[in-house]
Amino acid sequence: MGLTGNAVLILAITLAVALFAVTIWCWPRLARRSVPTVFGRVGLLLATQVAVFVSVGLMANNSFLFYGSWADLFGQKQDLGVVTDHAQGTLAEKNIVRVGTRRPDVPGGSRPASAGRIDKVVIAGRSSGITTSAYVYLPPEYFQDAYARRKFPAVVVLTGYPGTAENLIKGLDYPKTSLGRVRAGRSQPMILVMLRPTVAPPRDTECVDIEGGPKTETFFADDLQAAVAAAYRVGRHARNWGIIGNSTGGYCALKIGLHHPGRFTASAGLSAYYKAAEDPTTGDLFHGDRRARERADLLWSLDHLPQPESSFLVTTSRQGEANYAATRKFVAKVKRPARVSSIVLDSGGHNFNTWRREIPAALEWMSGRLSES
């Protein structure tokens, strides 16, 4: 039974209710003052509380998709192997392999020309040496004859840490929201490249190139774009590419956009922070390199490095988000030729519900800054 399936949740709730009923039924018999009855009371109370805790945890996980599978919950590595196919015309020649497809969760999802298609791919970074899985959402127009010769703008979409790419599809509804914005005439069709920033699990690399370790920044700034553009009808210019993410993914999106304006013209950070975290999940990111640590501080970068001719979007809330003050500082430090926009909610926590309120406007903002050619 899958971690996010209804069967596991129903089983946990049933067990909690049954243990509660057994506790009530047996309590009079366990009221005596003896060692066995004391242990009986403690055991029933503990079992009931654990069952209730598990039920609540499963309901929260089904709502917010913190973990997509049992392996993800227990930190087991799930990276897919790379198939090397030397036949002509395969995606493997372009450092990307399609390993499956799925239907978007919208009416008409079985017809790509009506709802688009989601490809599950494995991307092998030529420069970074990093291999990771991702989902590529292709809009309906990609399969329509009228657009057969057209290239599409692309947006890299990142989860938080640890996150799973499934969160972007099932929890944050990026393909469904993008399709809805296009149908409403509020956005142009865009290809979405959805993955998590944790490309060297379980380590949180904060999207930096670590000395002697994963070259995560190189992967996102160089390899990812090259692989996708070689396999799909996507332009190779900065004006064709945007990057968006939430939490750690938001920091990464802003960082990559700020430091690589020749790759991405628009970057959006939902509930982002602005300085690389350094804790047990990251390990030693900078190995004493003061310049690298300063560069990973986006507020420092805005003060000390040339500002790019790029657009940035940041989001926060006046109540519920810890990044409100830092976001105001980021906005104040952005100077021409860079441009900055913001979404400020009255209230909203650091969670999926808040990000779902921001994503439609963020995709419209992104669409208005990308070009198809």
Side-chain angles (χ1 to χ4, degrees):
M1 293 185 288
L3 177 63
T4 59
N6 289 330
V8 173
L9 178 59
I10 293 172
L11 179 61
I13 293 174
T14 302
L15 180 61
V17 172
L19 283 170
F20 178 77
V22 170
T23 301
I24 297 298
W25 180 261
C26 295
W27 198 259
R29 301 180 184 180
L30 298 173
R32 301 183 183 92
R33 294 182 179 179
S34 65
V35 173
T37 56
V38 169
F39 275 105
R41 293 196 297 268
V42 171
L44 282 174
L45 289 174
L46 182 60
T48 303
Q49 290 180 3
V50 169
V52 170
F53 176 81
V54 169
S55 299
V56 172
L58 287 170
M59 285 189 286
N61 189 64
N62 284 6
S63 297
F64 298 109
L65 284 176
F66 299 117
Y67 300 97
S69 66
W70 294 108
D72 185 41
L73 175 64
F74 293 111
Q76 297 173 0
K77 193 171 182 179
Q78 304 174 76
D79 289 350
L80 297 171
V82 178
V83 177
T84 302
D85 187 343
H86 298 284
Q88 292 295 317
T90 65
L91 295 182
E93 293 179 320
K94 303 162 185 175
N95 288 78
I96 184 171
V97 179
R98 185 173 65 238
V99 295
T101 61
R102 61 189 296 173
R103 302 172 180 176
D105 186 20
V106 296
S110 61
R111 301 186 302 276
S114 298
R117 189 182 76 198
I118 300 173
D119 288 350
K120 186 170 186 178
V121 301
V122 175
I123 299 171
R126 183 166 296 176
S127 299
S128 65
I130 289 174
T131 299
T132 191
S133 59
Y135 290 97
V136 178
Y137 167 69
L138 304 171
E141 291 79 5
Y142 194 89
F143 304 96
Q144 297 172 5
D145 292 341
Y147 296 85
R149 298 181 179 275
R150 175 175 167 178
K151 290 186 176 181
F152 292 81
V155 181
V156 176
V157 186
L158 302 176
T159 67
Y161 174 84
T164 67
E166 288 275 346
N167 291 349
L168 301 169
I169 300 172
K170 296 172 63 177
L172 293 178
D173 298 326
Y174 267 97
K176 184 177 181 179
T177 303
S178 181
L179 179 61
R181 295 296 89 190
V182 174
R183 288 177 173 175
R186 306 291 296 270
S187 172
Q188 63 176 316
M190 299 182 293
I191 291 174
L192 305 180
V193 184
M194 299 171 285
L195 67 165
R196 60 181 186 172
T198 314
V199 292
R203 189 175 188 182
D204 176 11
T205 61
E206 294 291 298
C207 293
V208 303
D209 282 353
I210 302 172
E211 181 182 347
K215 297 184 180 298
T216 311
E217 184 171 347
T218 296
F219 176 82
F220 283 111
D222 298 331
D223 293 339
L224 179 61
Q225 190 177 105
V228 173
Y232 297 97
R233 300 201 311 272
V234 180
R236 295 176 179 266
H237 302 291
R239 63 179 179 270
N240 309 132
W241 285 83
I243 183 168
I244 184 174
N246 58 271
S247 191
T248 298
Y251 164 75
C252 287
L254 295 175
K255 178 183 185 294
I256 298 297
L258 181 61
H259 292 156
H260 300 276
R263 300 293 189 186
F264 297 92
T265 195
S267 310
L270 312 183
S271 302
Y273 49 87
Y274 303 95
K275 182 179 180 180
E278 294 182 76
D279 56 36
T281 68
T282 67
D284 188 354
L285 295 176
F286 306 109
H287 297 279
D289 188 336
R290 180 178 61 84
R291 181 69 171 182
R293 178 177 282 105
E294 290 174 340
R295 182 176 176 272
D297 183 337
L298 305 188
L299 301 182
W300 184 94
S301 294
L302 289 173
D303 284 337
H304 295 88
L305 301 179
Q307 299 213 8
E309 192 172 346
S310 304
S311 297
F312 301 95
L313 172 68
V314 291
T315 78
T316 187
S317 61
R318 294 183 179 87
Q319 183 177 1
E321 284 279 22
N323 75 334
Y324 179 67
T327 298
R328 293 184 64 183
K329 289 181 181 179
F330 182 92
V331 170
K333 289 178 181 292
V334 174
K335 309 297 181 185
R336 292 182 179 180
R339 296 169 297 278
V340 65
S341 305
S342 65
I343 298 174
V344 181
L345 303 178
D346 288 334
S347 65
H350 198 79
N351 55 50
F352 277 32
N353 182 57
T354 295
W355 301 326
R356 281 192 290 259
R357 295 159 62 194
E358 298 166 342
I359 288 171
L363 287 177
E364 291 178 20
W365 175 89
M366 187 72 71
S367 170
R369 283 150 183 82
L370 301 185
S371 171
E372 65 185 63
S373 60

